[in-house]
Amino acid sequence: MANNNIVWHEPSITIDTRWKSNGYKSSVLWFTGLSASGKSTIAHALDKYLHENGIHSYVLDGDNVRHGLNKDLDLSPASRKENIRRIGEVSKLFVDAGLLVIAAFIAPFREDRRQIRALLEKEQFIELFVKCSIDECEKRDPKGLYKKARKGEIKEFTGISAPYEEPENPEIILESDKFSKDECVGRILDYMIEKKIIPASVIDQANTT
């Protein structure tokens, strides 16, 4: 039920002002894909590159968020939906603050991802599908989660006992079982420059250092 005593206060510094001051545009880069597909690895590599080149970014990682903000949520369908909803709202706040948000979550359902996109202005939400065969994900399995899921020790595990709905029209597809981490980061940077999210000088500067 809505609380009529809560009133939205317009910020004194607009997002356009922050963009002009920063020299780049804030947005959400939402990595979705199966567990062990490479989402976090690519996300953190991108974050490191951006930081080293003067772009303010921050990684919201699925496991890390469940240690704090969402530690009260389990892996039930309702909790998973709420997990993504909260991250969407946090991401929007970060974008308003002028940051590039790098979110790495399985986020298995299209509807949940659509709802996050709807929170943001056009081109502020960039969906990146980290595409990797489940066979390769199981071979990697750094946390041993697939083995536990196959034994029935983890219920509702995405890709094994719970569905994963691939994005229908993601802005970027990263085939992490075919291309290296650095190649994937390069593709993301090319996209961000093409869309004028970050200046081309970021790449030029990196190539001269």
Side-chain angles (χ1 to χ4, degrees):
M1 183 179 294
N3 188 331
N4 293 329
N5 296 317
I6 298 176
V7 179
W8 178 263
H9 288 272
E10 291 298 329
S12 57
I13 303 174
T14 67
I15 191 169
D16 287 336
T17 300
R18 295 187 191 278
W19 286 356
K20 289 177 182 177
S21 176
N22 291 341
Y24 53 85
K25 296 180 180 180
S26 54
S27 59
V28 177
L29 295 111
W30 189 280
F31 289 72
T32 177
L34 295 171
S35 179
S37 61
K39 297 183 301 300
S40 292
T41 298
I42 300 169
H44 283 282
L46 175 64
D47 186 44
K48 183 174 184 292
Y49 184 94
L50 293 172
H51 173 75
E52 290 174 347
N53 289 279
I55 305 292
H56 295 157
S57 58
Y58 191 80
V59 175
L60 293 173
D61 183 87
D63 282 353
N64 291 355
V65 169
R66 282 186 175 272
H67 275 87
L69 176 67
N70 292 345
K71 66 180 180 180
D72 60 318
L73 301 177
D74 56 27
L75 295 178
S76 67
S79 285
R80 287 185 175 188
K81 188 176 186 66
E82 175 62 12
N83 179 57
I84 298 304
R85 187 196 71 80
R86 291 184 192 178
I87 297 308
E89 294 290 351
V90 169
S91 296
K92 187 177 186 301
L93 292 174
F94 277 30
V95 168
D96 288 344
L99 292 174
L100 276 166
V101 184
I102 304 170
F105 293 83
I106 293 173
F109 300 114
R110 295 187 189 112
E111 179 57 31
D112 292 339
R113 300 193 298 266
R114 279 196 291 265
Q115 288 180 2
I116 298 170
R117 186 185 290 274
L119 287 174
L120 300 154
E121 298 297 326
K122 186 178 180 181
E123 296 187 356
Q124 284 183 354
F125 182 83
I126 302 162
E127 188 173 42
L128 300 98
F129 176 30
V130 184
K131 186 175 183 179
C132 185
S133 70
I134 193 164
D135 289 341
E136 179 61 27
C137 289
E138 288 200 63
K139 287 178 185 177
R140 297 173 180 176
D141 201 13
K143 304 171 189 174
L145 300 179
Y146 282 95
K147 290 180 181 179
K148 291 181 180 179
R150 291 292 188 190
K151 293 177 181 178
E153 297 175 11
I154 300 178
K155 305 299 182 183
E156 298 293 321
F157 188 80
T158 303
I160 301 297
S161 52
Y164 176 76
E165 297 175 356
E166 294 187 0
E168 294 178 322
N169 295 294
E171 278 72 17
I172 302 174
I173 297 176
L174 302 171
E175 296 183 89
S176 62
D177 52 357
K178 296 181 181 179
F179 299 97
S180 70
K181 171 187 66 180
D182 291 340
E183 287 173 322
C184 290
V185 168
R187 167 145 180 159
I188 299 167
L189 293 170
D190 286 343
Y191 176 90
M192 294 170 74
I193 290 170
E194 178 187 346
K195 297 298 181 180
K196 295 181 169 46
I197 297 169
I198 60 174
S201 59
V202 170
I203 301 296
D204 295 338
Q205 179 180 335
N207 290 336
T208 58
T209 59

